[in-house]
């Protein structure tokens, strides 16, 4: 079993990221105070845009870009070289100062409600905006784009946005890896997949804003902000539908608990631990969603039993009985209209290990661990884990059991809490 991270010691990389962003912000602020701000109307306009984006921030923990309008406005200011044909001279220091000050100002109402931005998000914004500005502003101040630079400027903006997004993905994946110990490669792949969605929209909007302001002036900002605000509103509705969908699945999963077939909180604990194991094994976001839903509903087949299994412990039943309950559970899931992939995982959780999909292997191992350790008292978790290891030849996938051991070691091995 891998050693757990020493308790109480903060991860090194996020701390360095926060320190670097803080020192950079202080240096930029000192430079602006010493030299004085330039082009104040432009700074105020972009600062207001970033602050508005923060005010409309989404508070869901699962969103990839919580404040897309603020991110787009920050990138646009970093990549701004002209305003209505007039060259700008705000430079890197003022760019970072304006973006950070506006982000903090727009976050005040959220902080008052206890839902302020995560320090990682602010640090990443400072570092990525500084990176984009450092790459673009020196070239712009030297007049690289003055003579026939329209297409060249557009191509450079695209290249810089790609590099900036890659840097942001690296920072995000590295910070999560340092905090959780999840594999870096899958985390980075998940961040890069997000570039196809909201991240690409934010980058494209930022580039178009910078180009439009260069030609039409500051009036272009509200014109290009409205579509992103409408997109954000639509995404909020989509997120609300997804949240309702998940709550419906969780309610269905609790049917076995209400009927007395399984202990209270069993499905939730299995789902949480299964998702953590899936992350450790490098499953993607969509695969993790299917895994979580299947783990929530893995015992729903017990509703067809005339005589409940004692404590709902199906891991101790004969294999034919486990398969019968699993098949019945899959049939129930299909009738509820849930994704067919969830039904497949539920009905195959009792199949021979080598024939199971990865999600079914995870649900089977985690369910067995939770059942075996639930009433074992102190040290029950270690005993249950050892039993799973001894059965890896036939019943449980070795890689899943080892991933489970790593997850438990990071969170301190203990008996699952009841309820």
């Amino acid at each position: 079993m891998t050693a757990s991270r020493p308790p109480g010691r903060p991860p090194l990389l996020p701390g360095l990221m926060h320190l670097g962003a803080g020192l950079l912000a202080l240096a930029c602020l000192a430079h602006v105070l010493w030299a004085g701000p330039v082009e104040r109307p432009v700074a105020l306009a972009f600062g207001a845009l970033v602050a508005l984006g923060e005010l409309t921030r989404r508070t869901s923990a699962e969103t990839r870009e919580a404040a897309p309008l603020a991110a787009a406005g920050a990138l646009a200011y970093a990549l701004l070289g002209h305003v209505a044909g007039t060259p700008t001279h705000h430079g890197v220091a003022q760019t970072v100062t304006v973006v950070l000050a506006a982000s903090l100002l727009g976050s005040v109402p959220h902080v008052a409600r206890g839902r302020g931005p995560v320090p990682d998000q602010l640090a990443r914004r400072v570092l990525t905006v500084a990176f984009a500005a450092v790459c673009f502003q020196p070239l712009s101040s030297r007049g690289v784009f003055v003579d026939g630079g329209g297409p060249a400027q557009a191509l450079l903006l695209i290249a810089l946005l790609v590099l900036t997004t890659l840097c942001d993905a690296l920072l995000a994946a590295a910070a999560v890896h340092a905090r959780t110990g999840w594999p870096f490669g899958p985390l980075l792949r998940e961040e890069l997949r997000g570039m196809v969605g909201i991240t690409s929209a934010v980058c494209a909007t930022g580039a178009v804003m910078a180009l439009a302001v260069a030609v039409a002036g500051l009036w272009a900002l509200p014109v290009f902000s409205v579509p992103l605000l409408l997109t954000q509103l639509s995404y909020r509705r989509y997120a609300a539908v997804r949240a309702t969908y998940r709550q419906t699945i969780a309610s269905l999963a609790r049917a076995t608990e209400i009927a007395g077939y399984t202990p209270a909180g069993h499905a939730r604990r299995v789902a949480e631990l299964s998702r953590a194991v899936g992350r450790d094994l490098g499953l993607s976001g969509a695969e993790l969603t299917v895994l979580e839903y299947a783990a929530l509903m893995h015992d729903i087949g017990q509703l067809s039993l005339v005589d409940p299994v004692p404590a709902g412990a199906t891991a101790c039943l004969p294999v034919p009985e486990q398969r019968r309950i699993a098949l019945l559970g899959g049939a129930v899931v299909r009738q509820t209209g849930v994704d067919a992939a969830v039904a497949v995982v539920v009905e195959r959780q009792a199949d021979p290990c080598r024939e199971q999909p990865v999600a079914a292997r995870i649900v089977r191992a985690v369910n067995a661990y939770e059942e075996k350790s639930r009433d074992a008292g102190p040290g029950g978790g270690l005993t249950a884990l050892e039993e799973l290891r001894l059965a890896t030849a036939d019943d449980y996938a070795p890689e899943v059991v080892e991933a489970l051991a790593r997850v438990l070691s990071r969170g301190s091995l203990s008996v699952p809490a009841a309820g």
Side-chain angles (χ1 to χ4, degrees):
M1 185 184 303
T2 58
S4 59
R5 186 176 289 115
R9 180 184 297 176
L12 178 61
L13 184 59
L16 290 176
M17 188 171 70
H18 298 165
L19 178 62
L23 292 176
L24 176 62
L26 288 175
C28 291
L29 177 61
H31 182 275
V32 171
L33 292 177
W34 176 263
V38 298
E39 299 154 357
R40 296 186 181 184
V42 178
L44 289 173
F46 277 93
L49 180 63
V50 173
L52 176 62
E54 286 294 335
L55 286 172
T56 58
R57 162 185 292 275
R58 299 190 301 270
T59 56
S60 172
E62 297 182 356
T63 54
R64 182 171 301 278
E65 176 52 70
L69 182 59
L75 282 176
Y77 193 44
L79 301 176
L80 185 67
H82 294 76
V83 175
T86 303
T88 58
H89 306 89
H90 53 282
V92 177
Q94 182 165 315
T95 299
V96 173
T97 302
V98 169
V99 168
L100 180 59
S103 298
L104 293 175
L105 180 63
S107 300
V108 170
H110 300 294
V111 173
R113 295 195 298 266
R115 297 177 178 178
V118 179
D120 282 355
Q121 295 173 345
L122 284 177
R124 282 165 47 200
R125 178 169 296 170
V126 168
L127 294 174
T128 53
V129 166
F131 175 82
V134 165
C135 292
F136 180 83
Q137 291 298 327
L139 295 177
S140 177
S141 63
R142 292 172 187 169
V144 173
F145 306 108
V146 172
D147 300 324
Q153 182 175 359
L155 291 175
L156 179 61
L157 288 179
I158 293 173
L160 288 180
L161 287 171
V162 171
L163 289 175
T164 302
T165 305
L166 289 175
C167 290
D168 185 60
L170 285 170
L171 289 173
V176 176
H177 170 71
R179 292 186 185 281
T180 63
W182 295 335
F184 177 76
L187 288 172
L188 180 59
R189 287 197 299 270
E190 191 66 21
E191 290 294 331
L192 294 177
R193 287 192 190 102
M195 293 172 60
V196 181
I198 187 66
T199 304
S200 60
V202 167
C203 291
T205 304
V208 172
M209 278 183 178
L211 293 172
V213 171
V215 176
L218 296 176
W219 290 107
L221 288 180
V223 173
F224 288 96
S225 299
V226 171
L228 198 56
L229 282 173
L230 294 177
T231 301
Q232 183 171 337
L233 179 60
S234 299
Y235 189 88
R236 278 185 175 178
R237 293 179 178 176
Y238 170 72
V241 171
R242 285 194 60 184
T244 303
Y245 183 69
R246 188 188 182 283
Q247 291 171 0
T248 301
I249 291 178
S251 299
L252 289 171
R254 291 191 66 239
T256 57
E257 301 173 9
I258 295 173
Y261 284 86
T262 57
H266 169 71
R268 174 181 53 81
R269 293 192 295 271
V270 172
E272 291 175 354
L273 192 50
S274 293
R275 189 177 179 90
V277 172
R279 276 200 173 277
D280 189 271
L281 290 173
L283 270 61
S284 67
E287 292 169 332
L288 288 172
T289 300
V290 170
L291 172 61
E292 181 183 11
Y293 291 171
L296 283 170
M297 305 184 75
H298 75 280
D299 270 332
I300 202 166
Q302 293 196 43
L303 293 174
S304 62
L305 300 178
V306 177
D307 298 319
V309 179
T314 55
C316 300
L317 294 177
V319 173
E321 184 66 10
Q322 291 185 36
R323 290 180 182 171
R324 187 178 76 87
I325 295 174
L327 290 173
L328 290 170
V332 172
V333 173
R334 292 181 190 278
Q335 292 296 320
T336 61
V338 177
D339 187 355
V342 177
V344 170
V345 175
V346 171
E347 64 191 10
R348 297 193 62 186
Q349 60 181 310
D351 286 0
C353 176
R354 295 179 180 84
E355 301 175 8
Q356 290 177 312
V358 175
R361 296 179 183 182
I362 295 173
V363 172
R364 181 176 187 174
V366 172
N367 175 65
Y369 168 79
E370 207 280 334
E371 290 179 356
K372 293 176 182 295
S373 62
R374 186 168 52 218
D375 301 319
L382 289 171
T383 303
L385 191 59
E386 193 61 31
E387 288 184 20
L388 264 61
R389 280 181 165 144
L390 293 174
T392 51
D394 300 313
D395 296 333
Y396 308 107
E399 69 276 9
V400 173
V401 175
E402 291 310 311
L404 174 61
R406 290 192 295 270
V407 169
L408 293 170
S409 69
R410 289 194 290 266
S412 75
L413 196 59
S414 60
V415 181

